[in-house]
Amino acid sequence: MSSRNVTLAGADPERAVLRVLIVPHAGAGGASGQPFAAHAPDDWLVATARLPGRESRVRETGRDLDALTADVTATIRDLPGTAPLLVLGVCSGAVIALEALRRSGSAGVAGLVVVSQWAVNEKPDPGRRLLRDVDPGRDRAEVLDILRDFGGVPDALAANEEMLGLLLPAIVADIRAVEDYVCEPFDPGVPLLTVFGDEDELCSEERTDDWSLFGPHTRTVWLPGHHLLLVDEPEALATAVAENLDHWGLV
């Protein structure tokens, strides 16, 4: 597989006892999984998907949900190694990961981890503004307000005009791809673990309870923290996955 589509860290693919593919949150690239990898067990291979529109793929187009899903599906199929594979989707990345399993099946995947994403069987805020109705070039303030409703822009990034200018196009494209996503509950074919921050206002119990409808084997973990667990709490997130390997029969 092309190294442009994924970054690898941790154990050698052929010697790893577990493979984890991170599909990161809106606008994030392959580097976003490095802190998680640093806290994962040494015998895990941690791969982070690099989607179009960022890092070495910054000039690539094709950022709608169909294209992003196809991209992740290809990464799952081509990921090196033979150890059991967990797919870990974060916020918008969880929608892409879920859709990849819905469309292509769970062959080669042992489990799905959904991080910081409300249940997608219904829209939590049916009347909310959509990015597709806003021109990012003309009204950045409104764009940032909408993105905050998705937890898509850390305050430190919003305050850095130079970095924001570089990353905003990918963030906007990712959120546009999933902002009105809804699907009927279905069994993804693998046990589902959902992980949320206990101070995440976007993912309250009311918004997340319906993940239990997605298949007969679901489990939820609450961690101390806010919405961006992959960024702010990578050690706690890696530990949560390691402590729940029994959920997938991997211990």
Side-chain angles (χ1 to χ4, degrees):
M1 69 184 302
S2 172
S3 61
R4 290 167 60 87
N5 295 5
V6 70
T7 63
L8 302 179
D12 181 276
E14 300 306 322
R15 297 182 180 180
V17 301
L18 181 70
R19 297 176 299 160
V20 179
L21 173 63
I22 298 172
V23 186
H25 52 277
S32 64
Q34 296 303 306
F36 178 99
H39 294 292
D42 293 340
D43 53 4
W44 290 13
L45 169 68
V46 178
T48 306
R50 179 185 290 115
L51 298 173
R54 66 219 72 199
E55 297 174 342
S56 59
R57 306 184 69 186
V58 67
R59 299 185 184 280
E60 293 186 36
T61 57
R63 304 185 199 175
D64 60 14
L65 184 57
D66 288 345
L68 295 174
T69 298
D71 204 279
V72 168
T73 298
T75 299
I76 291 172
R77 181 189 65 233
D78 297 336
L79 196 68
T82 59
L85 172 63
L86 300 180
V87 179
L88 187 155
V90 183
C91 195
S92 62
V95 173
I96 299 168
L98 181 71
E99 189 66 6
L101 293 187
R102 188 183 73 83
R103 297 187 187 192
S104 302
S106 58
V109 178
L112 176 63
V113 186
V114 166
V115 180
S116 302
Q117 172 60 52
W118 54 78
V120 294
N121 57 306
E122 61 181 49
K123 296 179 182 179
D125 301 309
R128 68 189 175 201
R129 297 166 296 170
L130 298 179
L131 278 174
R132 65 188 57 182
D133 299 327
V134 180
D135 181 354
R138 298 182 61 181
D139 197 345
R140 178 177 285 189
E142 185 173 3
V143 167
L144 291 177
D145 282 343
I146 295 173
L147 288 175
R148 288 189 184 96
D149 289 341
F150 285 85
V153 181
D155 291 339
L157 175 59
N160 187 324
E161 285 292 327
E162 183 177 358
M163 286 299 297
L164 186 63
L166 292 173
L167 298 179
L168 192 59
I171 296 173
V172 169
D174 285 356
I175 296 298
R176 277 180 169 172
V178 305
E179 64 183 342
D180 57 356
Y181 179 83
V182 176
C183 75
E184 290 292 325
F186 69 96
D187 184 352
V190 294
L192 170 64
L193 178 72
T194 57
V195 185
F196 309 108
D198 61 5
E199 297 184 65
D200 181 0
E201 296 180 358
L202 299 176
C203 292
S204 63
E205 289 189 42
E206 180 181 7
R207 281 182 159 187
T208 58
D209 278 349
D210 280 353
W211 278 118
S212 63
L213 303 176
F214 286 76
H217 305 293
T218 62
R219 181 184 293 181
T220 297
V221 174
W222 291 91
L223 300 178
H226 296 274
H227 187 67
L228 293 175
L229 293 176
L230 182 64
V231 174
D232 298 332
E233 306 292 343
E235 182 176 7
L237 182 57
T239 298
V241 174
E243 290 180 346
N244 284 277
L245 293 180
D246 65 296
H247 187 48
W248 301 289
L250 298 177
V251 292

